Amino acid sequence: MEYKRKIESGELVDGDDFQVDIIRQLQRLYDELVEHADECWLDRYSASKKSQRSRWLWSRLTTWSSVSPIKGLYLYGGVGTGKTMLMDLFYDQLPSNWRKKRIHFHDFMLNVHSRLQKHKGLADPLDVVAAEISDESILLCLDEFMVTDVADALILNRLFGHLFSKGLILVATSNRDPDKLYEGGLQRDLFLPFIATLKEMCVVHEIGSSTDYRKMTSAQQGFYFVGKENSGFLKKNFLQLVGAHKPTPQVVEVVMGRKLQVPLGANGVAYFPFEELCDKPLGAADYFGLFENFHTLALEGVPKFGSHNRTAAYRFVNLIDGPQYHFMSDAEASQVMYENKARLLCTAEAYPTALFDRIVTVSDAQKMAPRTSSRSRRNDDLNICVDNELGFAKDRTISRLTEMNSKEYLERHAAKLSGELSHDTSDLYRELYQEISERGNSEMSDLSGELSQEISEKGNLLQA
């Protein structure tokens, strides 16, 4: 078994009974798929005996249902529990000749909206889109199933009704119990039939774990510095990474003719105060353009988030973890900071686990004590923000921030750049990381004199 081999080779941690339980579920599904491969039309070469056009017309003209005899699988649980890893492990073992697809849920919905636009004006464009999707991939693996967009919510029931009737088998991972999908969303009553359909067509299984595997890293310091007093240290690191290059204000072109002003940048490294990147009306397209041009971001002054800066919190989540907007192409949507293995240097008001303490979901808010006058004042003092979307997105963002701060992630970043950077620059990155790892936060504030001299020598490009 591939899972066992990975444990024996040290790639995975042994002893997680929760993951072993999920492996059994995936093995059950795999065995059923192999047994019913012909019945489910999984073999793409067998399915291609009809031309694409004739199969499409056949599926459009056929009124009877051809629901798969196999139930799919919906895996849900907290961040960092290994859901994506296990689904990828399952997907990689499937025969190459099967009609299968593995895609992030947001990318899948982007593709659906693009297809709907193409078939605009037809009597039932969702049926046409479902016919195209099921024709290409009868086994669909969707990662990070999370409904936050009202446009998605309103079409999912009809879309998957068509897909399931055409024999589609769904495997999905999510942070959410299906009964809590789109919780608190607009017109959720119209979304509820989809939840019933999902539970009927898939085995729903929770994956629990007390371990966040993204946080099992050997480095605790990384490039994430807590406290305003470390502003100078951040700028010192920025100047070291820039090296012999001269950082200057730059303009980056992004999609749809937009331009992004970069306060300072050189040698693939960009410097921004937090308010310049997350307090201004910027969006996913701007962040995509940024990481098309820079592999490292030095971000100064990340605050704790609450009701007073809710919009900035949304932008910060999109910066780290990806766009939620449907006007971007699949390629653009995949090029976010985490997915692009970009590197983050930042100063922040708190550690990642505490940045979103004041952001709570509707469910969490309902568990709070009744709002007496004293309780109301306390909530005002704490600046509590009740927001379902942020409340559910924060755990994944915290997990990814933690991973991006790890030695392993930074080593992967360096490996990715190894073909792009000079030998001297690569050595500089390794030396800088080693220096930061050996020094502690307690020593950082002692570097202000050294920093002032370096900034002066660089032409006072950064103001402390």
Side-chain angles (χ1 to χ4, degrees):
M1 180 188 288
E2 182 65 13
Y3 182 75
K4 183 177 180 181
R5 185 197 68 77
K6 285 181 177 290
I7 290 176
E8 292 173 348
S9 67
E11 296 177 59
L12 297 178
V13 178
D14 194 6
D16 193 326
D17 292 337
F18 294 104
Q19 289 192 356
V20 172
D21 188 34
I22 297 301
I23 284 291
R24 293 193 185 101
Q25 292 291 328
L26 291 168
Q27 186 66 50
R28 182 272 309 169
L29 178 58
Y30 179 87
D31 292 341
E32 290 185 7
L33 289 170
V34 171
E35 181 181 354
H36 297 279
D38 291 339
E39 187 179 351
C40 295
W41 286 63
L42 281 166
D43 189 327
R44 72 174 64 253
Y45 300 109
S46 174
S48 65
K49 289 178 181 178
K50 297 176 181 285
S51 70
Q52 181 176 354
R53 178 174 175 80
S54 64
R55 280 186 290 122
W56 179 83
L57 288 172
W58 178 80
S59 65
R60 292 284 290 124
L61 294 172
T62 302
T63 57
W64 51 271
S65 173
S66 57
V67 175
S68 170
I70 299 174
K71 279 197 171 187
L73 186 61
Y74 181 97
L75 301 175
Y76 75 95
V79 296
T81 51
K83 302 182 298 296
T84 297
M85 179 274 294
L86 292 172
M87 186 177 74
D88 287 346
L89 187 66
F90 164 79
Y91 185 83
D92 290 342
Q93 303 310 305
L94 299 174
S96 59
N97 61 309
W98 281 8
R99 290 190 292 154
K100 59 178 182 174
K101 188 180 185 81
R102 188 269 192 220
I103 187 171
H104 192 280
F105 175 74
H106 288 302
D107 291 345
F108 172 74
M109 292 309 300
L110 284 167
N111 182 265
V112 168
H113 284 280
S114 176
R115 291 176 189 257
L116 285 173
Q117 188 66 27
K118 183 175 66 174
H119 298 303
K120 188 176 181 179
L122 295 181
D124 190 354
L126 276 174
D127 190 23
V128 178
V129 169
E132 291 178 346
I133 292 172
S134 59
D135 186 63
E136 296 165 3
S137 309
I138 206 69
L139 177 61
L140 181 63
C141 295
L142 293 181
D143 191 28
E144 304 281 8
F145 203 115
M146 183 175 179
V147 186
T148 59
D149 185 274
V150 64
D152 291 349
L154 293 178
I155 69 172
L156 276 172
N157 186 51
R158 290 190 59 237
L159 172 65
F160 274 88
H162 287 311
L163 285 170
F164 288 137
S165 73
K166 298 178 191 303
L168 183 112
I169 304 162
L170 175 66
V171 180
T173 69
S174 177
N175 294 340
R176 309 293 311 282
D177 181 319
D179 287 322
K180 293 184 178 180
L181 284 171
Y182 197 52
E183 191 174 39
L186 295 172
Q187 297 181 286
R188 188 172 187 259
D189 57 320
L190 299 178
F191 177 77
L192 293 178
F194 169 71
I195 296 177
T197 300
L198 184 65
K199 292 164 71 173
E200 179 185 355
M201 300 304 299
C202 295
V203 174
V204 177
H205 201 90
E206 180 179 10
I207 175 171
S209 179
S210 58
T211 303
D212 183 341
Y213 288 93
R214 292 174 183 162
K215 297 180 181 179
M216 292 182 62
T217 55
S218 61
Q220 300 300 318
Q221 185 56 59
F223 288 119
Y224 189 106
F225 312 118
V226 177
K228 294 180 180 179
E229 67 275 11
N230 293 314
S231 172
F233 194 68
L234 177 74
K235 293 169 182 174
K236 172 185 170 67
N237 291 335
F238 171 73
L239 292 176
Q240 282 190 272
L241 292 177
V242 165
H245 299 264
K246 181 179 179 180
T248 59
Q250 297 188 20
V251 176
V252 172
E253 292 188 5
V254 299
V255 297
M256 297 185 295
R258 292 170 59 89
K259 295 184 183 296
L260 175 65
Q261 303 290 330
V262 180
L264 286 173
N267 199 27
V269 186
Y271 166 86
F272 277 87
F274 177 84
E275 58 270 16
E276 291 291 316
L277 201 55
C278 296
D279 270 344
K280 290 191 173 182
L282 302 178
D286 302 289
Y287 302 146
F288 163 67
L290 178 65
F291 296 115
E292 276 280 279
N293 292 272
F294 297 95
H295 55 69
T296 297
L297 170 64
L299 186 62
E300 182 174 351
V302 179
K304 292 192 71 172
F305 298 111
S307 61
H308 72 293
N309 59 1
R310 178 200 306 244
T311 303
Y314 270 100
R315 293 196 184 105
F316 183 69
V317 167
N318 279 341
L319 172 72
I320 299 298
D321 201 27
Q324 309 293 317
Y325 308 111
H326 293 301
F327 59 76
M328 301 183 70
S329 69
D330 291 357
E332 292 165 351
S334 65
Q335 296 297 318
V336 295
M337 190 169 200
Y338 175 83
E339 295 295 336
N340 204 32
K341 292 296 176 282
R343 178 177 44 189
L344 176 69
L345 288 73
C346 75
T347 59
E349 190 177 342
Y351 288 100
T353 51
L355 284 179
F356 295 90
D357 279 351
R358 299 164 184 166
I359 307 290
V360 299
T361 63
V362 172
S363 178
D364 290 337
Q366 290 172 345
K367 294 175 185 176
M368 293 180 176
R371 289 178 60 90
T372 63
S373 58
S374 60
R375 179 69 187 178
S376 178
R377 286 197 300 271
R378 182 184 173 191
N379 278 355
D380 291 340
D381 291 340
L382 292 177
N383 194 24
I384 296 295
C385 172
V386 180
D387 188 303
N388 253 12
E389 186 172 344
L390 274 178
F392 290 117
K394 70 176 184 179
D395 287 341
R396 191 170 67 181
T397 302
I398 291 168
S399 183
R400 289 187 169 175
L401 276 173
T402 304
E403 183 184 357
M404 290 168 70
N405 187 45
S406 71
K407 179 180 179 182
E408 289 78 5
Y409 181 94
L410 294 171
E411 286 176 344
R412 290 197 299 271
H413 170 88
K416 178 182 176 183
L417 294 179
S418 61
E420 305 172 18
L421 301 176
S422 68
H423 181 73
D424 292 341
T425 306
S426 298
D427 288 343
L428 171 63
Y429 289 162
R430 283 191 290 271
E431 292 169 6
L432 179 59
Y433 180 79
Q434 183 68 24
E435 175 187 353
I436 292 173
S437 298
E438 292 174 353
R439 299 184 188 220
N441 251 342
S442 59
E443 297 185 40
M444 294 178 189
S445 57
D446 298 331
L447 296 168
S448 57
E450 179 183 351
L451 169 67
S452 298
Q453 182 178 354
E454 283 204 36
I455 290 178
S456 177
E457 292 173 355
K458 292 284 184 180
N460 201 23
L461 291 167
L462 294 171
Q463 298 298 320

